[in-house]
Amino acid sequence: MFVHTLLKVLRLLIPALILLVAGITGLSYLAVLPLHYQSLFSQLPLILASICLILCISFNQGRLFLASLNILCLFSLIQSDLQTSLNNPANFVLFSLLTVLFPLQQLLLAMYPEKGFSLRWALPRGAIIATPYLLAHLLNQAGVMASWITQLPMSLIELAFDPLLLSQAACSLFLFSLAINMLVLYFRATLADAAILASTLGCALTLLWFDRAFISALYASLILLLFLYTVLFNSYSMAFIDELTGLPGRRALENHLSSIGRNYSLAMVDIDHFKKFNDSYGHDVGDQVLRMVASQMKQAAKGASLFRYGGEEFTLVFKGQDEATALPIAEKIREAVANYPMRIRDKDRPEDSQKGRQQRTSRRKKKQDCEIVQVCISIGLCQKTEQHSHSRDVLKQADESLYQAKNQGRNRTVAAHISQTRQRKQATRTKSAAEHA
């Protein structure tokens, strides 16, 4: 379980790591840019932040909205108030405050649950983020910060790693914030948490190397690009991926069929007596059945693409295959589901997976086995022909073949253009070959 989660976290971090490495390698090239490009580049974070905020609102991404706002506020304050040397006492005080303020804001972002975007939710939290930056700007403009330099604690003055510009206190705060971000990412394992972690690290590098030209514009742009990627990826997942089974959904199927080519077969799959599971055991067990069927079909569907069509129906797409080639694969999928011992979860099973495993181990020792039921599927198969030239017609004929399979006793595959006798012989030959192998 730990290794599986760790691998998932590492996969989520790949886009972030690519952008952070791009930032490190891109620093040397910015100084040699022509002046007009340098001016445009310094405005890029403002443009990206505006786009990101709009998309976060449009696609209901509340935490990424707040994260984008935090980056925008930090970059705007740097651009307006910190374009001269840190030897200026006022600049040094403002810089020191920012090195503390940003990681604290990132800690808050890590702890917020994702509840989508609503004005009632976003406005107070957005005010918590924006207000300290606004106050820092107003106080700096009023000229009061220079006098605070004698009141700064030594931990905000002494550098953690000379000549890098983060103080001991700021470095400790950033490390603590990164540790919390890592813990949250491990337990939630979402792309948004990976992006927030990367933004914390990216801004830490910005403030460490603050004396380098265009460092804030570079990392702010890269972080906001990562946020844009995350928003669009999450929106794609919500539109095209079925949340319960993790399979591509009906929209993904339609998109796939629009460019599938001329030679293919489609299969409609339905779980036999699915309503009985819901009526007898409840909808939680029904969801368990759907996940199990999706998992077994996915493992067995070598040579086919699997989609959740809706309800208890799935669709198999056999690209470049006719019915004769697709039929043995469909039969293998059907048998994989039928041969799987489905264990009904106890109603008192804990939500925590580790506690659930401990409970199952304890009951095995006491020889208290869970109830085992058999789940079967019926499959209707149809290839693209002159008669069924459009994918819509192929799906419709596959659905009719599915009803034939239901009427003939369920737990079987019916192909539209292959006779039942031929299907049985072909299935027998396939099974015999597999046994001899």
Side-chain angles (χ1 to χ4, degrees), residues 155-213:
S155 60
L156 272 176
I157 296 175
E158 295 183 357
L159 299 180
F161 306 102
D162 193 24
L164 302 177
L165 297 178
L166 274 186
S167 66
Q168 294 175 358
C171 193
S172 299
L173 267 175
F174 266 106
L175 288 174
F176 181 67
S177 180
L178 285 168
I180 296 299
N181 285 167
M182 280 296 297
L183 282 173
V184 171
L185 175 60
Y186 177 80
F187 287 106
R188 286 185 184 161
T190 67
L191 194 59
D193 288 300
I196 291 172
L197 171 64
S199 67
T200 305
L201 182 57
C203 285
L205 294 175
T206 299
L207 297 172
L208 273 171
W209 299 327
F210 195 70
D211 55 343
R212 302 194 182 190

Side-chain angles (χ1 to χ4, degrees), residues 61-73:
Q61 302 284 305
R63 291 176 68 227
L64 286 173
F65 174 86
L66 297 178
S68 303
L69 181 62
N70 197 27
I71 297 295
L72 175 61
C73 290

Side-chain angles (χ1 to χ4, degrees), residues 4 6 16 55 111 121 129 160 164-165 173 186 193 203 227 259 267 298-299 310 335 344 365 383 391-392 409 418:
H4 174 76
L6 187 60
L55 288 180
M111 303 309 294
W121 183 88
I129 288 175
L164 302 177
L165 297 178
L173 267 175
Y186 177 80
D193 288 300
C203 285
F227 287 170
S259 57
K298 188 175 181 180
Q299 291 180 39
E335 290 175 359
I344 302 298
K365 290 177 180 178
Q383 69 186 49
S391 60
R392 179 178 58 250
I418 301 177

Side-chain angles (χ1 to χ4, degrees), residues 40-321:
L40 286 173
F41 186 77
S42 64
Q43 300 303 313
L44 183 59
L46 301 177
I47 299 170
L48 290 174
S50 301
I51 297 171
C52 208
L53 291 172
I54 292 170
L55 288 180
C56 286
I57 294 172
S58 303
F59 294 123
N60 204 30
Q61 302 284 305
R63 291 176 68 227
L64 286 173
F65 174 86
L66 297 178
S68 303
L69 181 62
N70 197 27
I71 297 295
L72 175 61
C73 290
L74 177 68
F75 176 76
S76 299
L77 191 54
I78 289 172
Q79 287 295 101
S80 63
D81 291 37
L82 286 176
Q83 294 303 301
T84 54
S85 173
L86 293 182
N87 291 326
N88 182 319
N91 286 355
F92 183 81
V93 171
L94 179 58
F95 176 80
S96 299
L97 291 177
L98 289 182
T99 62
V100 172
L101 175 60
F102 184 82
L104 288 176
Q105 298 279 29
Q106 292 295 99
L107 276 173
L108 283 177
L109 287 173
M111 303 309 294
Y112 286 143
E114 181 58 77
K115 294 189 175 181
F117 182 89
S118 68
L119 287 177
R120 184 178 179 181
W121 183 88
L123 282 178
R125 290 165 178 79
I128 291 172
I129 288 175
T131 301
Y133 293 104
L134 179 60
L135 284 175
H137 171 70
L138 293 176
L139 290 170
N140 189 50
Q141 294 299 310
V144 301
M145 281 197 174
S147 61
W148 293 2
I149 194 165
T150 57
Q151 301 174 29
L152 288 178
M154 288 304 298
S155 60
L156 272 176
I157 296 175
E158 295 183 357
L159 299 180
F161 306 102
D162 193 24
L164 302 177
L165 297 178
L166 274 186
S167 66
Q168 294 175 358
C171 193
S172 299
L173 267 175
F174 266 106
L175 288 174
F176 181 67
S177 180
L178 285 168
I180 296 299
N181 285 167
M182 280 296 297
L183 282 173
V184 171
L185 175 60
Y186 177 80
F187 287 106
R188 286 185 184 161
T190 67
L191 194 59
D193 288 300
I196 291 172
L197 171 64
S199 67
T200 305
L201 182 57
C203 285
L205 294 175
T206 299
L207 297 172
L208 273 171
W209 299 327
F210 195 70
D211 55 343
R212 302 194 182 190
F214 301 104
I215 184 72
S216 60
L218 174 63
Y219 273 101
S221 298
L222 290 173
I223 290 167
L224 289 164
L225 282 172
L226 179 61
F227 287 170
L228 283 172
Y229 166 80
T230 305
V231 171
L232 294 174
F233 183 87
N234 287 344
S235 302
Y236 169 85
S237 297
M238 286 189 287
F240 288 91
I241 304 298
D242 174 57
E243 186 176 0
L244 179 65
T245 61
L247 296 176
R250 191 165 178 173
R251 286 187 181 180
L253 171 64
E254 293 171 355
N255 188 57
H256 184 67
L257 292 178
S258 65
S259 57
I260 194 172
R262 296 180 179 180
N263 183 25
Y264 63 89
S265 296
L266 299 177
M268 290 298 296
V269 182
D270 187 82
I271 301 175
D272 296 332
H273 303 295
F274 181 72
K275 187 175 182 298
K276 185 175 72 174
F277 287 104
N278 278 334
D279 293 342
S280 302
Y281 301 103
H283 290 284
D284 288 343
V285 171
D287 290 346
Q288 184 188 348
V289 170
L290 286 168
R291 284 191 291 265
M292 182 279 291
V293 169
S295 176
Q296 293 303 308
M297 290 177 65
K298 188 175 181 180
Q299 291 180 39
K302 305 301 181 185
S305 301
L306 178 62
F307 301 83
R308 186 180 180 191
Y309 193 76
E312 67 269 29
E313 288 189 313
F314 300 84
T315 303
L316 289 161
V317 179
F318 301 89
K319 187 175 181 179
Q321 300 181 47

Side-chain angles (χ1 to χ4, degrees), residues 350-366:
E351 291 293 329
D352 183 74
S353 58
Q354 185 175 357
K355 292 181 179 178
R357 284 195 299 273
Q358 292 172 354
Q359 185 186 78
R360 289 195 299 274
T361 303
S362 173
R363 291 185 175 179
R364 285 193 198 104
K365 290 177 180 178
K366 297 177 183 179

